[in-house]
Amino acid sequence: MDSQKLSSAHLVQGPRPPGPPSGACRRSRTPGGRRKQDWSCSLIVASLVGAFGSSFLYGYNLSVVNAPTLYIKAFYNETWQRKHGHPVDSDTLTLLWSVTVSIFAIGGLVGTLMVKPIGKFLGRKYTLLVNNGFAISAALLMACSLQAGAFEMLIVGRFIMGVDGGIALSALPMYLSEISPKEIRGSLGQVTAIFICIGVFTGQLLGLPELLGKESTWPYLFGVIAVPALVQLVSLPFLPESPRYLLFEKHDQAGAEKAFQTFLGKEDVSREVEEALAEVRVQRHLRPVSVLELLRTPFVRWQVITVVVTMASYQLCGLNAIWFYTTSIFRKAGIPPEKIPYITLSTGGIEILAAIFSGLVIERLGRRPLLIGGFGLMTLFFGILTVTLTLQDHAPWIPYLSIVCILAIIASFCSGPGGIPFVLTGEFFQQSQRPAAFIIAGNVNWLSNFAVGLLFPFIQKSLDTYCFLVFAAVCFTGAVYLYFVLPETKNRTYVEISQAFAKRNKAYPPEDKIDSSVSDDKTNGTPEQDSSSTLDNYVRNEVV
């Protein structure tokens, strides 16, 4: 090829875009042509540190109260006798213990309601940082309650820890969904569920008698809570804020570009910034909506209903009932009582493996098959478990089949329903709607959690082993609803997901009209407005 042809070829192709910096993660294409997004080091650190100080603590607090139950009740009785001169009666002790367990959910509900004002003022990252103050103060209260001789400190600490969980389960998925590319958004979102499972397993492990599950050391089980909070407190400040928050709320394009470069591990982030700016142009006349306004918005009606159904099914699917029956089923199978706590650890291990499996395959299989398949398999195994528990005295091998069903139910839950509801909440809604959407999801989550804790003892007492049929019906209803309503959201933008819901909503989002007008301008040869000038006008007009 001569020099003239070389010059012509260069003019046709245009200048090469700058490549990724040395040592950064690169994008590649799979043989099928689909773009593959590698994980940058900053993205991995942000997800691990964020989840360790947030969702890990939620899972840990779900299981940590189980091992020291007898010692805590004895502490309540001793404190009551010292203050009132007589032992506490059994009904009052049961009430105190129920309050200790269930007040965690009440605190979670309060924390969920606090997310929107705190998140709007501080941003995603600093909301997580401030939230560590709740965890550390709760850890100090609960760890010092025995030495101070005040069981009220333990109850108040549980409430504060619930506030921490309510904020964490809304702010963390929001942060992860806004810093991740859409190609790995589902896998990154599953980090929340994985660390919940790791937290549950850690609570079970540290509760063993050889570790901290003894009468003299049980307060340290609650003191451990401060460790993940301190790790996040010293690590997260070195990571950027959510680039979308910087662009939409703070109007800081330079900061958003720098955050995109850090999280994506490359210098050229023009495509990502332009996508975000396009969303800015679409929402130039929008402001953050309230919960009531979101509920009244017609073009997100079915998205809200789907979030409510998935979150309610997530809590009402009966996994808490499984923990209630695990010890008795293992005892029926002939396992010595002193070995049961160690066998119970296998359930926590199954949770972690299933959650990791879900994180690895979610971008291949998609959200829809994992959710529907998970609830469907839980329906099947709940039905089998009801039969085996009813007939467990008829043959010596039947209790072992019950154990298999328990492990299968746990694996089915963690492989899909255990984490995907948090991912969907971040994918269904645009930036101005997302805080209100997480408030709705969090309220449904914590209210359902409280309802299970309050109603399950009565359901179990009246139906005995047939109580699992109630949970099978919940799982079946959730699976059927998702089969007919939920579209696949894998690798889709917010606009594409909204269009998938538009026919069912019988209302089209305003993006469709704006997108069509933009395409008409391009067709008519109207030059597109420069992104930076658009953002400058956006800032001057004080949008959002």
Side-chain angles (χ1 to χ4, degrees), residues 88-103:
V88 63
D89 61 88
S90 59
D91 292 337
T92 305
L93 182 61
T94 302
L95 177 62
L96 286 173
W97 179 246
S98 299
V99 170
T100 304
V101 174
S102 61
I103 202 170

Side-chain angles (χ1 to χ4, degrees), residues 218-269:
W218 67 261
Y220 298 114
L221 282 170
F222 300 100
V224 169
I225 291 170
V227 176
L230 289 172
V231 170
Q232 187 183 84
L233 196 60
V234 300
S235 304
L236 203 59
F238 296 99
L239 294 166
E241 176 58 271
S242 160
R244 289 182 171 271
Y245 172 80
L246 293 174
L247 201 58
F248 282 78
E249 303 284 347
K250 296 300 182 181
H251 320 306
D252 183 5
Q253 184 175 359
E257 288 180 358
K258 187 176 180 181
F260 272 126
Q261 290 170 346
T262 302
F263 285 127
L264 301 182
K266 60 178 185 175
E267 291 293 335
D268 182 18
V269 293

